[in-house]
Structure formats: C-alpha cells, structure tokens
C-alpha cells in the first residue's frame, strides 16, 4: 500500500509537471447524458495570457468521436491555447449507432453548455469560435449556419441558451451531400459512395415506430430531405458568423468543390469568408499546423 501511494504521488507530480510544460491545465467535463452514457469534452485553460475567449474544437472524423482523438487533443500543444484561448475539445455521439442529426444535436448542446457556464469558465459568452476537420468541419458549419432558436419551455436552463458561435474556421469539410463533387440534377443519394467511404451508417436515418416499438427506415424521399437538412450549404444566411476554409486541391475524399460551393453562398450573403487552397494537399497532410496558424489570426480578428 505504501508503494502504491508513493507511485500515485509520483504519477500525480509527473502529470502536473507535464501540464506545466504544455502551458495549460486540462479538465474533463460532462456536458450531457444520453441513453445512459456521458457526453464529454476536455477544457484546456492557458496558464498565462488568457484572453477570456473560447474555441470549440470538434473531435470527429467520419462522424466518429473516438477516444484516441481526445487523447491526442489533451496531450499535444495547442496553438489556440498559446494564443490565449480557452479550448474545449468536444466529443459527440458517433456512427454506426447514431446518425448525423444526433451528432448535430449533441454539438448544439455542448455550445449551449459552454455558454451557460461561461462565467465559471472565465470566458466571454459572446466570444466563442468553432473549428473542426472533415466531418468535424461539417458539424462546425452546421452550428455556424444554424438559427438562434432555443427551447424556451425546457426545464433545463441550458436549453434556453443560444447555440450560436461568433466565428468558424474549418479544414476540408463536406457541405452539400446531394451535389457532391459536381452538380447532381437527379437529386439522389449516392449510397454506393457512402458505403465505399465507410459512412453509410451516419446517413441511415430512422424514426421510431409506435406500433413495432423499434426504429425503422424512412421512405427514400424523407431520407433525401434529411440529407439536404444536414448540408450546411442550404442554411447560409446573412447573419452567419465569419467562416474561413483550408482545403487541398488534391483531396479525393472531400472535393475542393465542397468548400467553394458554400463560400459562394457566404459571399452572396455578405458573410466574411476566406479560402486557403493547399496546393497538392489531399485529405490531410503533414505539418498542417503551418496553415492552421491562419485560423488563429481569423479568430483574433473576428472574436475581438
């Protein structure tokens, strides 16, 4: 027992020292409970130079929030923390059990939870940015283009708080699931492509059936409408926050066209936007932090 206590003290000391070296403290937070599970996020707080503003980093790829993403987020140095931001790494429910609308609902809850507790976290509730990569970028855009409706009749005070953000910056996000890569005059879902990309379960939209007491598949037309409803390109409006994009022109998984299409809509709505094209960049590349520094400048400009 004595040796166990010594080991625990040593481990705790090493952990504290590691956080000191990284320049921030980290705290895991439960922001919701769902189907008997806890939905969590990791808060990184700069030890020095805090600017009182927040960045939400959506930890998600292929519409999956995996533990390894949280591990990587909470142990690597953050350029946002170094710039003075409090950063929240948010996990949401994942395919194949949950579909994209479920994940959007979770992320809205996370934004509301952070805003509701802003004073406790020493951040300004009116200066919250969001960022993500690929599907994490898509979910970020669904928040950025969302309306400002709240559940005013809810018994949970968190539900009565806005889920809006004030700026967004994303890497190579899907934005239009109907016109994917090129215009699609047939307005159909490419199921074969979804299976090939290993994301079909994220689009397996179902509804509860009171007769069978099970979740059942929706008719094709309703599934098609839901595919439109989770495409942020369809929800751009003049009150959206400024959005920055970084996208590789050799991305074979999420075509550059996906960023270009929504940027055209943002510009038409007079929303500040910018695109950096990574020449030769595929769906991810080494030393991406070089380009990501542009996101810091973007948040500095629009979260001032």
């Amino acid at each position: 027992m004595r040796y166990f206590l010594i080991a625990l003290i040593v481990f705790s000391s090493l952990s504290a020292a590691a956080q000191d070296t990284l320049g921030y403290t980290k705290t895991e937070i439960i922001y919701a409970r769902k189907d008997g599970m806890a939905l969590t996020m990791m808060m990184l707080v700069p030890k020095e130079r805090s600017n009182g503003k927040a960045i939400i980093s959506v930890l998600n790829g292929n519409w999956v929030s995996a533990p390894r993403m949280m591990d990587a987020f909470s142990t690597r140095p953050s350029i946002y923390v170094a710039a003075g931001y409090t950063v929240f790494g948010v996990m949401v429910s994942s395919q194949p059990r949950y579909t994209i609308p479920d994940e959007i609902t979770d992320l809205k809850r996370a934004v509301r939870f952070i805003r509701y507790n802003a004073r406790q976290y020493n951040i300004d509730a009116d200066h919250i940015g969001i960022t993500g990569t690929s599907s994490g970028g898509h979910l970020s855009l669904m928040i950025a283009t969302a309306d400002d409706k709240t559940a005013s009749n809810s018994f949970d005070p968190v539900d009565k708080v806005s889920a809006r953000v004030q700026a967004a910056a994303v890497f190579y996000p899907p934005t239009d699931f109907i016109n994917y890569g090129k215009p699609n005059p047939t307005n159909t879902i490419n199921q074969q492509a979804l299976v090939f990309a290993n994301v079909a379960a994220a689009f397996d939209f179902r509804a509860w059936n009171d007769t069978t007491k099970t979740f059942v598949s929706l008719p094709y037309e309703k599934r098609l409408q839901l595919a439109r409803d989770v495409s942020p390109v369809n929800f751009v409006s003049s009150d959206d926050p400024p959005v920055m994009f970084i996208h590789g022109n050799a991305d074979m998984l999420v075509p550059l066209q996906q960023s270009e299409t929504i940027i055209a809509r943002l510009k038409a709505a007079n929303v500040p936007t910018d695109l950096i094209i990574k020449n030769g960049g595929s769906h991810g590349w080494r030393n991406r932090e070089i380009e990501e520094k542009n996101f810091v400048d973007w948040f500095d400009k629009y979260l001032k």
Side-chain angles (χ1 to χ4, degrees):
M1 181 68 177
R2 174 168 161 252
Y3 295 110
F4 172 77
L5 291 173
I6 292 173
L8 182 60
I9 292 170
V10 170
F11 176 80
S12 299
S13 299
L14 290 173
S15 177
Q19 292 194 44
D20 285 339
T21 301
L22 292 173
Y24 55 78
T25 59
K26 60 181 182 179
T27 305
E28 188 166 20
I29 299 166
I30 296 174
Y31 68 86
R33 297 188 184 276
K34 175 177 181 176
D35 296 343
M37 302 179 295
L39 294 175
T40 66
M41 57 187 175
M42 187 71 73
M43 178 175 67
L44 307 183
V45 181
K47 290 181 127 347
E48 300 177 2
R49 295 184 61 241
S50 175
N51 61 18
K53 302 166 188 176
I55 303 295
I56 295 170
S57 180
V58 184
L59 307 181
N60 193 275
N62 265 35
W63 292 282
V64 172
S65 288
R68 59 180 172 76
M69 298 176 186
M70 180 70 86
D71 292 341
F73 169 81
S74 61
T75 56
R76 70 174 183 263
S78 168
I79 61 173
Y80 302 111
V81 171
Y85 292 95
T86 296
V87 187
F88 296 86
V90 174
M91 305 273 281
V92 297
S93 54
S94 304
Q95 64 122 340
R97 174 62 183 84
Y98 296 97
T99 58
I100 292 174
D102 299 310
E103 300 189 27
I104 295 169
T105 298
D106 294 345
L107 189 53
K108 285 184 177 180
R109 167 72 186 192
V111 178
R112 290 189 170 104
F113 188 91
I114 292 167
R115 176 164 282 115
Y116 180 80
N117 292 286
R119 182 173 298 180
Q120 177 185 338
Y121 299 150
N122 295 314
I123 60 171
D124 186 338
D126 294 323
H127 289 80
I128 299 175
I130 195 166
T131 186
T133 297
S134 192
S135 64
H138 160 259
L139 295 173
S140 297
L141 292 176
M142 288 302 300
I143 298 299
T145 59
D147 58 38
D148 203 20
K149 292 180 181 178
T150 60
S152 58
N153 296 325
S154 174
F155 291 106
D156 187 343
V158 174
D159 294 336
K160 300 178 182 180
V161 177
S162 172
R164 295 282 274 176
V165 293
Q166 285 67 57
V170 294
F171 280 103
Y172 35 86
T175 66
D176 186 348
F177 295 113
I178 302 300
N179 303 287
Y180 198 81
K182 59 183 179 180
N184 176 17
T186 62
N187 276 321
T188 55
I189 299 174
N190 190 337
Q191 188 67 28
Q192 186 176 2
L194 295 178
V195 172
F196 179 79
N198 198 29
V199 297
F203 294 83
D204 187 20
F205 307 127
R206 293 171 177 264
W208 179 256
N209 185 299
D210 279 330
T211 301
T212 63
K213 304 301 180 183
T214 60
F215 286 97
V216 297
S217 295
L218 294 172
Y220 183 78
E221 283 303 318
K222 288 189 176 181
R223 291 183 61 235
L224 187 61
Q225 184 57 51
L226 278 170
R228 298 189 189 100
D229 291 344
V230 297
S231 296
V233 70
N234 296 324
F235 298 96
V236 171
S237 58
S238 60
D239 62 346
D240 289 343
V243 188
M244 185 177 195
F245 299 78
I246 297 178
H247 210 130
N249 59 8
D251 192 334
M252 302 300 291
L253 188 60
V254 179
L256 177 59
Q257 169 259 3
Q258 291 289 286
S259 286
E260 292 174 332
T261 300
I262 194 170
I263 285 172
R265 298 274 181 95
L266 290 165
K267 287 181 176 179
N270 293 317
V271 175
T273 186
D274 195 12
L275 169 65
I276 294 176
I277 298 176
K278 175 69 172 179
N279 190 37
S282 58
H283 200 66
W285 53 84
R286 292 184 179 181
N287 301 320
R288 200 186 65 174
E289 294 79 8
I290 296 173
E291 287 80 21
E292 194 170 15
K293 290 178 181 178
N294 292 280
F295 286 175
V296 176
D297 295 338
W298 188 259
F299 288 127
D300 286 346
K301 179 177 181 179
Y302 289 105
L303 294 179
K304 60 185 177 182

